[in-house]
Amino acid sequence: MGPAEVLATHWLRSDEVVELREHAPGEESPRAITLATTAPIERRVAADTLLAAAVGACDGELSLGQIADALASVLEVDADAVAEALVADARELAWLGMLAPVDR
């Protein structure tokens, strides 16, 4: 799947995926974010705020490109850089079974 096709795809997060955050008491932001799944086998992926937000939005309603554009706007970062990062991340998470393309 090429980058344009990955961005045009509507992705669905597996029900088995959970987000783990490591905080010290009183800290504003987490020191670490991990996406984890136990099915079919346990897997963990280190995530940043961008990836965690994108995976949280993968409910099949929006394409990854739409999610990337929205996050770039909210985070006030370059949209092309966000799209490039999320394409690579989506491919990895799909391979791990954490995301699946929605048939439309």
Side-chain angles (χ1 to χ4, degrees), residues 9-15 55 58-61 97-102:
T9 299
H10 292 239
W11 295 92
L12 185 62
R13 178 186 64 254
S14 167
D15 290 338
V55 170
C58 285
D59 61 2
E61 293 298 316
M98 293 182 173
L99 290 180
V102 174

Side-chain angles (χ1 to χ4, degrees), residues 25-88:
E27 279 185 336
E28 182 178 331
S29 299
R31 346 180 164 152
I33 303 172
T34 303
L35 300 173
T37 185
T38 56
I41 61 173
E42 184 171 343
R43 300 196 186 260
R44 292 175 180 256
V45 175
D48 57 12
T49 303
L50 176 66
L51 179 57
V55 170
C58 285
D59 61 2
E61 293 298 316
L62 299 173
S63 70
L64 187 61
Q66 291 170 311
I67 293 169
D69 288 343
L71 289 173
S73 178
V74 168
L75 298 173
E76 298 178 345
V77 293
D78 180 63
D80 291 335
V82 168
E84 184 177 335
L86 291 181
V87 165

